Amino acid sequence: MMKRKTFDIIYVFVIMVAMSTVIMTSTTMQAQTADTLRHEVLLETDMGNIRIALYNETPLHRDNFIKLVKQGFYDGLLFHRVMQRFMVQTGDSASRHAQPGQILGMTVKGEKIPAEIRYPRLFHKRGAVAAAREGDNTNPERASSATQFYIVYGRRFNDTMLDDEQLKLNRITNGQVKLTPEVREAYKSTGGTPHLDGQYTVFGEVVEGLDVVDKIQWVETDKNGRPLNDIRIIKATIVK
Protein backbone atom coordinates (compact mmCIF):
# COMPACT_ATOMS: atom_id res chain seq x y z
CA MET A 1 0.00 0.00 0.00
CA MET A 2 2.80 2.43 0.83
CA LYS A 3 4.35 1.96 -2.61
CA ARG A 4 1.01 2.62 -4.30
CA LYS A 5 0.44 5.80 -2.24
CA THR A 6 3.98 7.00 -3.01
CA PHE A 7 3.40 6.38 -6.72
CA ASP A 8 0.09 8.29 -6.61
CA ILE A 9 1.71 11.25 -4.87
CA ILE A 10 4.54 11.40 -7.41
CA TYR A 11 2.06 11.10 -10.28
CA VAL A 12 -0.06 13.99 -8.97
CA PHE A 13 3.06 16.08 -8.41
CA VAL A 14 4.23 15.49 -11.99
CA ILE A 15 0.80 16.46 -13.36
CA MET A 16 0.79 19.67 -11.29
CA VAL A 17 4.26 20.64 -12.49
CA ALA A 18 3.25 19.99 -16.09
CA MET A 19 0.11 22.10 -15.73
CA SER A 20 2.09 24.94 -14.12
CA THR A 21 4.58 24.84 -16.99
CA VAL A 22 1.79 25.05 -19.55
CA ILE A 23 0.18 27.98 -17.74
CA MET A 24 3.48 29.84 -17.38
CA THR A 25 4.36 29.23 -21.03
CA SER A 26 0.94 30.46 -22.13
CA THR A 27 1.26 33.57 -19.96
CA THR A 28 4.75 34.27 -21.29
CA MET A 29 3.57 33.87 -24.88
CA GLN A 30 0.68 36.25 -24.24
CA ALA A 31 3.03 38.82 -22.70
CA GLN A 32 5.41 38.51 -25.64
CA THR A 33 2.53 38.92 -28.07
CA ALA A 34 1.30 42.03 -26.23
CA ASP A 35 4.80 43.51 -26.26
CA THR A 36 5.02 43.27 -30.05
CA LEU A 37 1.88 45.35 -30.57
CA ARG A 38 2.62 48.96 -31.39
CA HIS A 39 0.09 50.70 -29.20
CA GLU A 40 -1.52 53.94 -30.34
CA VAL A 41 -3.22 56.69 -28.35
CA LEU A 42 -5.66 59.28 -29.64
CA LEU A 43 -5.55 62.76 -28.09
CA GLU A 44 -8.77 64.66 -28.76
CA THR A 45 -7.97 68.35 -28.30
CA ASP A 46 -9.71 71.70 -28.69
CA MET A 47 -7.86 72.17 -31.98
CA GLY A 48 -8.23 68.68 -33.46
CA ASN A 49 -7.08 65.10 -32.98
CA ILE A 50 -3.51 63.87 -32.58
CA ARG A 51 -2.77 60.15 -32.91
CA ILE A 52 0.41 58.88 -31.27
CA ALA A 53 2.22 55.57 -31.76
CA LEU A 54 4.24 54.34 -28.75
CA TYR A 55 7.64 52.71 -29.22
CA ASN A 56 8.25 49.20 -27.89
CA GLU A 57 11.93 50.11 -27.61
CA THR A 58 11.04 52.22 -24.56
CA PRO A 59 8.81 49.81 -22.56
CA LEU A 60 8.94 51.68 -19.24
CA HIS A 61 7.68 54.88 -20.82
CA ARG A 62 5.19 53.03 -23.03
CA ASP A 63 3.63 51.12 -20.14
CA ASN A 64 3.51 54.20 -17.91
CA PHE A 65 1.80 56.25 -20.63
CA ILE A 66 -0.77 53.52 -21.28
CA LYS A 67 -1.49 53.27 -17.55
CA LEU A 68 -2.09 57.02 -17.26
CA VAL A 69 -4.33 57.08 -20.33
CA LYS A 70 -6.42 54.21 -18.94
CA GLN A 71 -6.77 56.12 -15.66
CA GLY A 72 -8.04 59.18 -17.53
CA PHE A 73 -5.13 61.24 -16.21
CA TYR A 74 -4.69 63.35 -19.36
CA ASP A 75 -8.38 64.11 -19.81
CA GLY A 76 -8.89 67.83 -19.27
CA LEU A 77 -5.21 68.83 -19.09
CA LEU A 78 -3.85 71.88 -20.92
CA PHE A 79 -0.98 72.29 -23.31
CA HIS A 80 0.71 74.53 -20.79
CA ARG A 81 3.92 75.33 -22.68
CA VAL A 82 4.11 76.13 -26.38
CA MET A 83 7.16 77.34 -28.30
CA GLN A 84 7.09 78.23 -31.98
CA ARG A 85 9.29 76.11 -34.25
CA PHE A 86 10.10 73.95 -31.24
CA MET A 87 7.46 71.92 -29.36
CA VAL A 88 4.17 71.78 -27.44
CA GLN A 89 4.09 70.37 -23.89
CA THR A 90 1.39 68.94 -21.62
CA GLY A 91 0.94 66.59 -18.66
CA ASP A 92 0.92 68.95 -15.65
CA SER A 93 -1.93 67.81 -13.40
CA ALA A 94 -2.24 71.35 -11.99
CA SER A 95 -3.37 72.58 -15.41
CA ARG A 96 -6.74 70.82 -15.19
CA HIS A 97 -8.22 73.61 -13.05
CA ALA A 98 -5.61 76.31 -13.62
CA GLN A 99 -6.55 79.97 -13.35
CA PRO A 100 -5.73 82.35 -16.24
CA GLY A 101 -2.08 83.36 -16.11
CA GLN A 102 -1.15 80.69 -13.54
CA ILE A 103 2.40 79.44 -14.04
CA LEU A 104 2.36 75.73 -14.90
CA GLY A 105 4.83 72.95 -15.49
CA MET A 106 6.31 72.72 -11.99
CA THR A 107 4.05 69.98 -10.62
CA VAL A 108 5.84 66.74 -9.75
CA LYS A 109 3.54 63.72 -9.73
CA GLY A 110 4.55 60.07 -9.40
CA GLU A 111 7.98 58.48 -9.43
CA LYS A 112 10.49 59.42 -12.10
CA ILE A 113 10.95 56.95 -14.94
CA PRO A 114 14.49 55.74 -15.64
CA ALA A 115 15.87 57.14 -18.89
CA GLU A 116 15.42 55.00 -22.01
CA ILE A 117 17.45 57.06 -24.46
CA ARG A 118 17.81 55.09 -27.70
CA TYR A 119 19.72 57.56 -29.85
CA PRO A 120 20.41 57.49 -32.79
CA ARG A 121 17.59 55.03 -33.48
CA LEU A 122 15.06 57.31 -31.78
CA PHE A 123 15.65 61.03 -32.12
CA HIS A 124 13.87 64.40 -32.07
CA LYS A 125 12.46 64.42 -35.58
CA ARG A 126 9.29 66.39 -36.29
CA GLY A 127 6.38 64.58 -34.61
CA ALA A 128 8.54 62.85 -31.99
CA VAL A 129 6.94 62.40 -28.57
CA ALA A 130 9.39 62.70 -25.68
CA ALA A 131 9.34 62.84 -21.88
CA ALA A 132 10.02 66.11 -20.11
CA ARG A 133 12.45 66.05 -17.19
CA GLU A 134 14.38 68.12 -14.69
CA GLY A 135 17.75 69.54 -15.74
CA ASP A 136 21.08 67.76 -15.50
CA ASN A 137 22.15 69.73 -12.43
CA THR A 138 19.48 68.07 -10.28
CA ASN A 139 18.86 65.05 -12.48
CA PRO A 140 22.19 63.80 -13.88
CA GLU A 141 20.72 60.37 -14.64
CA ARG A 142 18.22 62.13 -16.97
CA ALA A 143 15.22 60.31 -15.52
CA SER A 144 11.89 61.36 -17.01
CA SER A 145 8.83 63.02 -15.55
CA ALA A 146 6.14 60.45 -14.88
CA THR A 147 3.45 62.55 -16.58
CA GLN A 148 4.74 65.47 -18.63
CA PHE A 149 5.66 65.03 -22.28
CA TYR A 150 6.20 67.16 -25.35
CA ILE A 151 5.58 66.81 -29.06
CA VAL A 152 8.31 68.09 -31.35
CA TYR A 153 7.61 70.36 -34.29
CA GLY A 154 10.91 72.15 -34.78
CA ARG A 155 12.17 73.31 -38.14
CA ARG A 156 14.03 72.05 -41.20
CA PHE A 157 17.81 72.44 -41.34
CA ASN A 158 20.50 72.72 -43.99
CA ASP A 159 24.04 71.36 -43.63
CA THR A 160 25.48 74.59 -42.29
CA MET A 161 22.77 74.82 -39.65
CA LEU A 162 23.30 71.17 -38.68
CA ASP A 163 27.02 71.80 -38.30
CA ASP A 164 26.15 74.53 -35.80
CA GLU A 165 23.76 72.15 -34.01
CA GLN A 166 26.57 69.60 -33.77
CA LEU A 167 28.79 72.18 -32.12
CA LYS A 168 26.04 72.80 -29.56
CA LEU A 169 25.71 69.07 -28.93
CA ASN A 170 29.48 68.77 -28.50
CA ARG A 171 29.39 71.39 -25.76
CA ILE A 172 26.31 69.98 -24.03
CA THR A 173 27.26 66.29 -24.19
CA ASN A 174 31.06 66.55 -24.20
CA GLY A 175 31.13 65.20 -27.74
CA GLN A 176 29.18 62.05 -26.91
CA VAL A 177 26.24 62.69 -29.28
CA LYS A 178 26.96 62.80 -33.00
CA LEU A 179 24.45 63.54 -35.74
CA THR A 180 24.71 60.54 -38.05
CA PRO A 181 24.24 60.91 -41.82
CA GLU A 182 20.78 59.31 -41.52
CA VAL A 183 19.74 61.65 -38.71
CA ARG A 184 21.06 64.69 -40.57
CA GLU A 185 19.06 63.73 -43.65
CA ALA A 186 15.87 63.44 -41.58
CA TYR A 187 16.41 66.90 -40.11
CA LYS A 188 16.92 68.31 -43.61
CA SER A 189 13.88 66.64 -45.15
CA THR A 190 11.43 66.50 -42.23
CA GLY A 191 12.73 68.81 -39.51
CA GLY A 192 12.91 68.60 -35.74
CA THR A 193 15.01 69.74 -32.78
CA PRO A 194 18.49 68.14 -32.94
CA HIS A 195 19.95 69.97 -29.93
CA LEU A 196 17.91 67.69 -27.61
CA ASP A 197 19.19 64.41 -29.03
CA GLY A 198 20.76 61.90 -26.69
CA GLN A 199 19.50 63.75 -23.60
CA TYR A 200 15.75 63.06 -23.39
CA THR A 201 13.77 59.86 -23.84
CA VAL A 202 11.85 59.78 -27.13
CA PHE A 203 9.09 57.20 -26.65
CA GLY A 204 6.66 57.71 -29.53
CA GLU A 205 5.70 59.68 -32.61
CA VAL A 206 2.70 61.39 -34.15
CA VAL A 207 1.20 59.26 -36.92
CA GLU A 208 -1.84 61.47 -37.56
CA GLY A 209 -2.58 65.09 -36.70
CA LEU A 210 0.79 66.74 -37.17
CA ASP A 211 -1.12 69.63 -38.71
CA VAL A 212 -2.85 70.06 -35.34
CA VAL A 213 0.53 70.25 -33.60
CA ASP A 214 1.51 72.88 -36.17
CA LYS A 215 -1.58 74.96 -35.35
CA ILE A 216 -0.95 74.70 -31.61
CA GLN A 217 2.68 75.82 -31.85
CA TRP A 218 1.65 79.08 -33.52
CA VAL A 219 -0.88 80.27 -30.94
CA GLU A 220 -0.23 83.42 -28.96
CA THR A 221 1.33 82.83 -25.54
CA ASP A 222 2.35 84.73 -22.42
CA LYS A 223 5.96 85.24 -21.40
CA ASN A 224 6.05 81.75 -19.87
CA GLY A 225 4.92 80.05 -23.05
CA ARG A 226 1.39 79.33 -21.84
CA PRO A 227 -1.27 79.88 -24.53
CA LEU A 228 -3.42 82.94 -23.80
CA ASN A 229 -6.46 80.91 -24.82
CA ASP A 230 -6.45 77.49 -23.17
CA ILE A 231 -5.87 74.49 -25.42
CA ARG A 232 -7.08 71.37 -23.69
CA ILE A 233 -6.85 67.60 -24.15
CA ILE A 234 -10.54 66.74 -24.08
CA LYS A 235 -9.92 63.00 -23.90
CA ALA A 236 -7.06 60.53 -24.37
CA THR A 237 -7.96 57.03 -25.54
CA ILE A 238 -6.02 53.88 -26.38
CA VAL A 239 -7.09 52.99 -29.90
CA LYS A 240 -4.66 50.14 -30.59
Side-chain angles (χ1 to χ4, degrees), residues 197-229:
D197 281 340
Q199 303 157 75
Y200 294 78
T201 296
V202 176
F203 66 91
E205 65 178 90
V206 173
V207 292
E208 291 179 13
L210 196 55
D211 59 321
V212 177
V213 179
D214 186 19
K215 287 190 294 184
I216 295 174
Q217 61 131 5
W218 284 110
V219 301
E220 189 175 1
T221 67
D222 63 17
K223 62 181 181 180
N224 297 307
R226 178 178 169 180
L228 296 181
N229 296 313

Side-chain angles (χ1 to χ4, degrees), residues 27-97:
T27 302
T28 301
M29 290 178 64
Q30 290 176 0
Q32 290 174 343
T33 301
D35 286 345
T36 62
L37 178 65
R38 197 184 195 195
H39 294 281
E40 295 184 3
V41 172
L42 181 67
L43 303 180
E44 300 173 55
T45 83
D46 290 333
M47 299 189 70
N49 294 346
I50 303 169
R51 189 171 177 130
I52 295 171
L54 303 177
Y55 294 145
N56 291 328
E57 294 91 334
T58 53
L60 298 179
H61 288 70
R62 176 200 63 199
D63 293 348
N64 177 72
F65 196 73
I66 290 173
K67 177 190 71 176
L68 292 174
V69 170
K70 286 182 176 179
Q71 292 174 350
F73 175 81
Y74 291 109
D75 299 353
L77 297 192
L78 301 179
F79 284 94
H80 64 268
R81 185 168 178 244
V82 171
M83 300 182 71
Q84 295 177 0
R85 296 190 180 91
F86 184 20
M87 60 86 208
V88 301
Q89 185 171 331
T90 184
D92 184 350
S93 60
S95 71
R96 184 174 282 108
H97 304 295

